[in-house]
Amino acid sequence: MLNILKKLVETKIERTVKTRGDCQLISDAILESLDVEISYSTIKRVYGLNASTKPNTRTLNILANFVGYNNYSHFIQTYNFESSNNLNFQIYKVISKMDHVKIVKLINATKKSTQNFSDFIIVLIRELLHNKNFKLVNKIFQLEALKYNTFSYSEILYIGNSIGLLLKKSNKIDNSLLSNENFIEFVFSTFVDYSSLNKYYGKAAKIILANHNNKEIKLFTNGLLEFKNFLNKKKIRLVKLDLIYSNKLHPILCGRLFALYFLKDKDFNNELVITNYFKVHSKKTLIVDYSFELFIAAILTKNRFLMSKLISKIEVESKTLFLYQKFHLNIFYLMCLFFYRLQGNKSKENRFKQLFSIDACTIGYMDFIKSLHLIYLYDSESLTIKKQLIIGEYVKITDKLNYPYLNIDFINNYFIK
């Protein structure tokens, strides 16, 4: 924020601060407009023309006051809001005229000049989707400014999930976007919608699989569609087992490909393969990323062997670095709830009951995870009237999901030995 404040000061005096004279000009201007003295040498230190030191609070307050704010704290609180409003106005202005050239110029300029680029892109895409201008959305995701590898993973998750949510609400992804590899990486593979595999998301995955040659994209969509087959009680085709050990594939994708083996064969309890999987991946990143899809597979197949192996590998109180990893850990807590109820270990079951939160689920997984959680709640409830309410909610959600695997027998019989 200090750099922005310095730029605002330069804008006010209408020159770039490069010399002692420029610093004296600022000092004089402040004295004249605020009747406050600040030496030119202090200004020189702020702009790094002398040995640079961190400005004290008085200096920051004076400079903020000089450019129109009450103090430095007021500047910090107000500037981002003003900047955001200004960007929104510019977005609405260029969209109202649908000037593609100006929109592209605004994107490039904003990428270079603001810290709010992610918010800017989300608002822009939202307006374009609302106007059904898929052609321009497609063009935007082909720009260098939107290249997947120019963003941090946190930014990708923020933008991808925000736009994915918009597409979920419309229940459709335009086919032109499904041929855009950067869009697929940025949005489609970020906002994974397990609640819509039999709807728009599954249809989009099928189109992508048929029309793309990118190996990771094909593996990603194939993994989704095979999982869809499982939920629809259809045969699963497995990928080569060697792929689960890859150091080039995304951790979640490795887990999804491995999970298919447990979904296809409920007796696939190959201890050597599981040991090797964790041995290969344990030093790369948090193991919870490589285990996420295995948590879900273990619950769906009631595979206590897999559950126990995962429990032995995951740190219950893992200090995850990112919000998405907290979501993964939350699903681990759900799996532990199932495992310890199956084992009859009440004390550990209660521990994970306190840790798991249905509200910590992401929107793309929400209904799917809710249906699993209701299975646990149904068996743990003793009052008949409450059990009826739970099964009623389960039927309502599973009817919407439309996955034959999640039927009424599944909830009734899951915990029957």
Side-chain angles (χ1 to χ4, degrees):
M1 293 301 291
L2 177 58
N3 287 335
I4 294 172
L5 180 58
K6 285 156 63 176
K7 286 285 185 185
L8 292 175
V9 171
E10 289 178 325
T11 299
K12 180 154 186 176
I13 66 168
E14 297 182 344
R15 70 172 68 186
T16 303
V17 177
K18 295 180 178 179
T19 66
R20 175 185 180 280
D22 298 327
C23 297
Q24 185 65 59
L25 176 63
I26 294 172
S27 176
D28 292 343
I30 289 173
L31 180 61
E32 184 177 341
S33 60
L34 303 179
D35 195 24
V36 173
E37 290 189 0
I38 181 170
S39 69
Y40 76 87
S41 58
T42 298
I43 305 296
K44 286 178 72 176
R45 286 193 295 273
V46 170
Y47 281 89
L49 301 181
N50 271 358
S52 182
T53 57
K54 186 178 180 180
N56 61 34
T57 302
R58 178 180 179 273
T59 299
L60 292 172
N61 287 340
I62 291 171
L63 293 176
N65 196 200
F66 179 60
V67 296
Y69 297 91
N70 295 336
N71 49 46
Y72 188 64
S73 179
H74 179 235
F75 160 69
I76 292 173
Q77 293 171 7
T78 308
Y79 180 79
N80 282 335
F81 176 76
E82 292 175 338
S83 177
S84 177
N85 279 353
N86 184 46
L87 275 176
N88 289 343
F89 174 74
Q90 291 182 65
I91 291 170
Y92 299 139
K93 185 177 179 181
V94 293
I95 285 180
S96 67
K97 297 179 180 179
M98 277 301 170
D99 188 324
H100 290 203
V101 174
K102 286 187 177 180
I103 289 175
V104 170
K105 284 183 178 179
L106 180 59
I107 291 170
N108 290 330
T110 306
K111 179 70 179 282
K112 295 176 182 177
S113 64
T114 182
Q115 295 175 324
N116 297 325
F117 185 69
S118 297
D119 291 324
F120 163 75
I121 285 297
I122 292 166
V123 173
L124 175 62
I125 297 297
R126 181 187 68 198
E127 294 303 313
L128 293 174
L129 289 175
H130 178 73
N131 286 285
K132 300 188 186 308
N133 194 334
F134 303 112
K135 183 178 180 181
L136 184 52
V137 174
N138 186 39
K139 183 175 181 179
I140 287 170
F141 275 98
Q142 292 172 340
L143 296 175
E144 190 66 32
L146 264 290
K147 286 297 182 183
Y148 181 85
N149 58 9
T150 65
F151 293 83
S152 69
Y153 192 54
S154 294
E155 289 173 323
I156 290 167
L157 288 173
Y158 177 48
I159 297 172
N161 280 306
S162 297
I163 296 173
L165 181 57
L166 297 174
L167 296 170
K168 180 180 177 67
K169 287 181 178 178
S170 66
N171 201 32
K172 182 182 179 181
I173 303 177
D174 190 78
N175 284 357
S176 64
L177 298 174
L178 300 179
S179 62
N180 187 321
E181 191 168 305
N182 192 54
F183 172 84
I184 293 168
E185 287 190 297
F186 215 125
V187 179
F188 184 83
S189 62
T190 298
F191 184 81
V192 179
D193 193 352
Y194 267 22
S195 300
S196 303
L197 290 174
N198 277 344
K199 301 172 186 174
Y200 82 99
Y201 194 80
K203 290 177 183 177
K206 193 172 182 180
I207 293 170
I208 292 169
L209 181 63
N211 294 287
H212 282 271
N213 295 319
N214 180 293
K215 180 182 176 182
E216 187 157 355
I217 288 176
K218 289 184 79 71
L219 284 171
F220 172 80
T221 50
N222 179 71
L224 287 174
L225 292 171
E226 294 303 335
F227 181 57
K228 175 187 173 183
N229 283 337
F230 170 80
L231 293 172
N232 286 297
K233 294 189 171 183
K234 294 180 180 180
K235 289 183 178 180
I236 295 176
R237 292 174 297 176
L238 300 174
V239 299
K240 291 181 179 179
L241 192 60
D242 288 352
L243 287 169
I244 71 171
Y245 304 119
S246 173
N247 60 5
K248 295 180 180 179
L249 298 180
H250 192 282
I252 299 172
L253 178 54
C254 287
R256 181 174 291 122
L257 299 176
F258 192 17
L260 293 176
Y261 280 81
F262 295 95
L263 296 174
K264 183 177 176 62
D265 180 3
K266 294 180 182 180
D267 296 320
F268 181 80
N269 293 332
N270 191 317
E271 188 157 2
L272 179 61
V273 175
I274 295 172
T275 300
N276 287 340
Y277 179 76
F278 286 112
K279 184 178 180 180
V280 167
H281 294 308
S282 61
K283 294 182 181 179
K284 294 176 186 174
T285 185
L286 287 176
I287 201 67
V288 70
D289 293 351
Y290 284 94
S291 306
F292 168 63
E293 293 289 345
L294 296 173
F295 301 150
I296 293 174
I299 295 172
L300 288 171
T301 59
K302 202 163 73 171
N303 190 324
R304 279 188 269 187
F305 173 82
L306 178 57
M307 290 180 186
S308 66
K309 289 296 178 183
L310 291 166
I311 288 170
S312 72
K313 299 295 181 182
I314 305 299
E315 294 180 30
V316 175
E317 302 293 343
S318 292
K319 294 181 179 179
T320 52
L321 299 176
F322 301 105
L323 187 61
Y324 79 93
Q325 290 171 325
K326 292 181 181 179
F327 164 60
H328 295 167
L329 195 61
N330 191 50
I331 304 306
F332 169 70
Y333 298 153
L334 179 63
M335 186 202 75
C336 290
L337 272 179
F338 277 82
F339 178 74
Y340 289 118
R341 185 154 192 83
L342 287 165
Q343 295 293 91
N345 191 326
K346 196 69 178 176
S347 63
K348 288 192 175 180
E349 180 187 340
N350 286 334
R351 180 191 181 193
F352 286 98
K353 189 184 293 185
Q354 298 298 317
L355 289 171
F356 174 75
S357 170
I358 191 65
D359 294 328
C361 296
T362 60
I363 293 174
Y365 286 84
M366 181 63 80
D367 284 343
F368 183 78
I369 299 301
K370 268 186 180 179
S371 68
L372 300 182
H373 187 224
L374 287 167
I375 294 168
Y376 167 77
L377 292 177
Y378 178 72
D379 190 74
S380 60
E381 181 55 62
S382 57
L383 294 175
T384 301
I385 189 167
K386 289 188 176 181
K387 288 178 82 75
Q388 290 174 342
L389 290 172
I390 290 169
I391 206 163
E393 188 177 354
Y394 174 82
V395 170
K396 182 179 179 181
I397 290 175
T398 53
D399 280 351
K400 184 168 65 171
L401 292 173
N402 192 29
Y403 300 142
Y405 192 86
L406 300 177
N407 55 32
I408 198 71
D409 289 336
F410 194 56
I411 189 172
N412 279 325
N413 301 324
Y414 191 96
F415 287 97
I416 295 177
K417 293 183 180 179

